[in-house]
Amino acid sequence: DAGVIQSPRHEVTEMGQEVTLRCKPISGHDYLFWYRQTMMRGLELLIYFNNNVPIDDSGMPEDRFSAKMPNASFSTLKIQPSEPRDSAVYFCASSSDRGWGKLFFGSGTQLSVL
Amino acid sequence: AQKVTQAQTEISVVEKEDVTLDCVYETRDTTYYLFWYKQPPSGELVFLIRRNSFDEQNEISGRYSWNFQKSTSSFNFTITASQVVDSAVYFCALSEAGDDKIIFGKGTRLHILP
């Protein structure tokens, strides 16, 4: 299997622009998690899905953030409008074994909002 | 609420020294899972180990060992005879059995000096 695939690897945008991050989980995994990593806050869970349904989005920082999972093989995290404080590395991870399972992480998207 | 504390932000040791990374957790559940992940300079997080709350046996895998003590709510990680390739950020994480979320500590950045 190719593992969790995230795109793009790097994104540089200007404040106010819309940003869309993409994730393809490992086939057969029914859990998908979006995390954000910053120096100050470490790894924060933003939202997770089970069988394409959002289960907990309490970590989403504000209404500018939204996430979707239209099918089992694709998820997006959108920021609109983007702000400089959104600059971070965004990771997608998938799992086949609920919250106590092993997470498989993608390579992350390094987002810089100027 | 669940919480993971990694008090050591950054550690530097000389190659071949032993090093222990501390992890203290908080949970109200009696059933939970603890994890360690490694994030090498390439950025992708890699699963190292998972323990459940009912198994307090220490575990050894090569140069890596883990000490789980419920009495002190700690799950420490020791690297014996450290090598430069062990340089990475190490994350401790916790998941409660009634929840699907995995919550991470802020990580410990480990530098192994040649």
Side-chain angles (χ1 to χ4, degrees):
Chain A
D1 203 316
V4 177
I5 299 173
Q6 288 187 247
S7 64
R9 286 296 307 273
H10 303 275
E11 176 80 36
V12 180
T13 191
E14 293 188 347
M15 184 174 67
Q17 296 297 307
E18 177 179 296
V19 175
T20 299
L21 311 181
R22 297 172 176 79
C23 175
K24 176 180 168 55
I26 292 174
S27 177
H29 283 190
D30 49 8
Y31 282 84
L32 184 139
F33 302 80
W34 282 100
Y35 285 87
R36 177 172 69 175
Q37 183 178 26
T38 60
M39 290 292 291
M40 290 297 295
R41 302 172 72 89
L43 266 169
E44 303 173 275
L45 177 63
L46 300 178
I47 185 171
Y48 77 93
F49 296 82
N50 175 218
N51 291 321
N52 314 337
V53 176
I55 303 299
D56 187 340
D57 65 355
S58 60
M60 298 284 260
E62 45 197 279
D63 292 345
R64 298 183 298 105
F65 286 69
S66 63
K68 294 181 180 179
M69 192 164 186
N71 57 62
S73 59
F74 184 64
S75 176
T76 60
L77 179 67
K78 186 177 292 186
I79 308 172
Q80 166 63 19
S82 58
E83 296 183 4
R85 60 193 166 123
D86 301 330
S87 298
V89 181
Y90 291 81
F91 285 101
C92 175
S94 70
S95 173
S96 62
D97 199 13
R98 300 199 62 178
W100 47 83
K102 175 180 173 180
L103 286 181
F104 292 80
F105 281 82
S107 299
T109 295
Q110 174 77 58
L111 173 64
S112 297
V113 183
L114 306 177
Chain B
Q2 61 202 84
K3 184 179 177 182
V4 176
T5 301
Q6 295 180 256
Q8 305 151 307
T9 304
E10 201 159 346
I11 301 174
S12 293
V13 300
V14 177
E15 196 173 19
K16 298 184 183 176
E17 289 185 353
D18 299 348
V19 58
T20 296
L21 309 182
D22 298 333
C23 173
V24 175
Y25 62 92
E26 295 177 27
T27 177
R28 284 177 285 192
D29 270 15
T30 56
T31 304
Y32 52 89
Y33 299 81
L34 295 163
F35 307 80
W36 277 94
Y37 282 80
K38 174 182 180 179
Q39 185 178 37
S42 59
E44 191 168 325
L45 283 93
V46 178
F47 169 87
L48 294 178
I49 190 172
R50 176 184 68 191
R51 304 293 286 178
N52 72 58
S53 54
F54 298 108
D55 183 0
E56 286 192 74
Q57 276 191 330
N58 291 336
E59 180 153 343
I60 299 174
S61 176
R63 296 184 297 106
Y64 294 175
S65 62
W66 291 268
N67 181 257
F68 176 26
Q69 291 195 342
K70 288 177 76 171
S71 60
T72 55
S73 296
S74 65
F75 185 44
N76 296 337
F77 173 29
T78 298
I79 301 175
T80 303
S82 60
Q83 299 177 1
V84 173
V85 294
D86 296 327
S87 297
V89 181
Y90 291 87
F91 291 92
C92 181
L94 165 71
S95 177
E96 295 171 338
D99 198 347
D100 296 325
K101 297 187 292 191
I102 298 181
I103 302 301
F104 287 79
K106 291 195 173 180
T108 297
R109 184 174 297 275
L110 177 63
H111 300 278
I112 308 298
L113 308 173

